[in-house]
Amino acid sequence: MRKELEILIEMQKRDDEITKLQVLVEKLPEQLSNLKKNVADAQQEKIDNNEAIIHNKKEQDSRELLIRSNKEMMAKYQNQLLTIQTNKEYKALNKEVSHLEKRNEELEDEIVELMENYDELQEKKRKVEQDLKSAEQELQANEKRLENEIKEVEIDMEKFRSERKELAKGLPLPLVKKYVTLIKNRNRKALVYNVGNCCGGCGFMIRPQVMVELHAGEKIIFCESCSRLIVLNIKE
Ligand SMILES: [Zn+2]
């Protein structure tokens, strides 16, 4: 029985290592994909900003064009004013001219606003390019390391798994099955040590009679509450 207990203790040690590695199995690829996502986001930001710059320029140009054509129209009307006969026609044409003047003022204001926005976009362009460069550098500096760490974790995990499998060969099959079920259902802790008179897994009080058996170490003890294997904590 002592031999079996020793094997179970060793198996739990391997499972504890596997538990630690499982955290890394999730964390490392996540770190790597975050770094890649940062680069992709920065690239998109750059594309969006460049498009905004092009769009802004187009908006400015189209307003410049409108202003020019309005001016041409106004010049034409001014000439017509000289030849006009009736007061009614004169008024109507004059109204048209002042409408175009007003429209051009609005367009000029809009251009000023667009130019301000253009400067902001240019400023942002520098920042966006800097962000992209930093994100690329960060990825470059860590990609290989993370990929290697991911591989190492897989190798270590495999090592502990095969060691555990090898150890399990020294146990009767029902006990192995019990152990595996506990690992699966009890938060990857099949074997725990007593803490005073209590189960180190769930805190359930161990009966005095069972405590005696635990100290004798001749029997495999299971917690009466959580069913985990309880081993005597020799440090206590
Ligand atoms: Zn328990």
Side-chain angles (χ1 to χ4, degrees):
M1 208 50 75
R2 280 182 194 280
K3 183 72 198 152
E4 287 180 0
L5 270 178
E6 277 165 23
I7 290 173
L8 287 162
I9 288 168
E10 288 305 311
M11 281 171 72
Q12 182 64 60
K13 278 183 190 166
R14 302 306 185 280
D15 270 309
D16 288 345
E17 292 300 328
I18 292 168
T19 305
K20 277 187 235 159
L21 290 173
Q22 276 177 341
V23 175
L24 292 175
V25 162
E26 284 175 22
K27 211 176 76 184
L28 294 173
E30 197 183 300
Q31 282 178 4
L32 185 57
S33 73
N34 279 345
L35 291 176
K36 286 179 178 170
K37 189 179 177 295
N38 287 346
V39 171
D41 286 351
Q43 279 168 340
Q44 191 55 48
E45 188 99 21
K46 189 181 165 179
I47 290 166
D48 290 347
N49 195 64
N50 282 345
E51 277 172 4
I53 288 172
I54 292 165
H55 179 73
N56 178 295
K57 202 86 190 102
K58 274 188 189 157
E59 292 287 307
Q60 284 192 51
D61 290 348
S62 71
R63 279 165 182 75
E64 298 279 5
L65 216 66
L66 264 176
I67 289 171
R68 223 176 301 147
S69 88
N70 285 347
K71 276 181 180 167
E72 280 166 17
M73 198 64 104
M74 279 190 281
K76 214 174 94 186
Y77 289 159
Q78 301 281 11
N79 278 337
Q80 282 179 19
L81 281 174
L82 301 174
T83 60
I84 262 167
Q85 305 294 330
T86 72
N87 204 24
K88 198 182 165 195
E89 274 181 306
Y90 186 86
K91 266 188 180 168
L93 214 51
N94 230 348
K95 199 178 160 197
E96 197 55 40
V97 171
S98 55
H99 168 72
L100 288 173
E101 269 172 358
K102 195 167 166 275
R103 181 74 194 109
N104 269 6
E105 276 170 23
E106 285 167 5
L107 288 166
E108 296 278 7
D109 286 347
E110 284 170 21
I111 288 173
V112 169
E113 244 176 71
L114 282 165
M115 283 166 78
E116 279 168 9
N117 178 244
Y118 186 84
D119 289 344
E120 282 166 19
L121 289 170
Q122 288 291 354
E123 189 59 43
K124 195 180 168 193
K125 186 185 163 117
R126 277 185 282 278
K127 190 194 164 290
V128 162
E129 278 168 2
Q130 189 52 50
D131 286 351
L132 176 58
K133 213 170 138 192
S134 310
E136 281 171 342
Q137 282 171 347
E138 180 95 6
L139 175 63
Q140 214 184 359
N142 292 291
E143 193 171 23
K144 266 270 149 309
R145 175 184 64 81
L146 285 168
E147 279 172 357
N148 286 338
E149 279 181 36
I150 290 166
K151 266 184 223 146
E152 275 169 31
V153 165
E154 281 163 4
I155 291 167
D156 287 349
M157 187 93 101
E158 201 40 54
K159 184 183 103 146
F160 289 123
R161 281 203 180 113
S162 74
E163 282 178 9
R164 190 188 54 187
K165 203 172 154 192
E166 211 45 49
L167 284 162
K169 285 179 185 168
L171 295 176
L173 195 58
L175 192 54
V176 175
K177 280 189 175 164
K178 173 116 189 151
Y179 175 90
V180 171
T181 307
L182 285 167
I183 283 288
K184 214 186 283 173
N185 299 335
R186 289 287 180 268
N187 207 19
R188 299 198 44 78
K189 273 282 182 194
L191 180 144
V192 293
Y193 294 86
N194 65 303
V195 178
N197 290 335
C198 296
C199 163
C202 71
F204 192 77
M205 182 83 84
I206 304 167
R207 282 186 293 119
Q209 172 57 32
V210 182
M211 275 310 287
V212 172
E213 289 171 345
L214 190 63
H215 276 277
E218 298 299 332
K219 239 177 107 179
I220 291 182
I221 310 288
F222 294 100
C223 172
E224 288 171 307
S225 173
C226 71
S227 312
R228 288 184 178 97
L229 288 134
I230 306 177
V231 178
L232 185 68
N233 187 351
I234 45 168
K235 284 177 214 145
E236 281 198 344

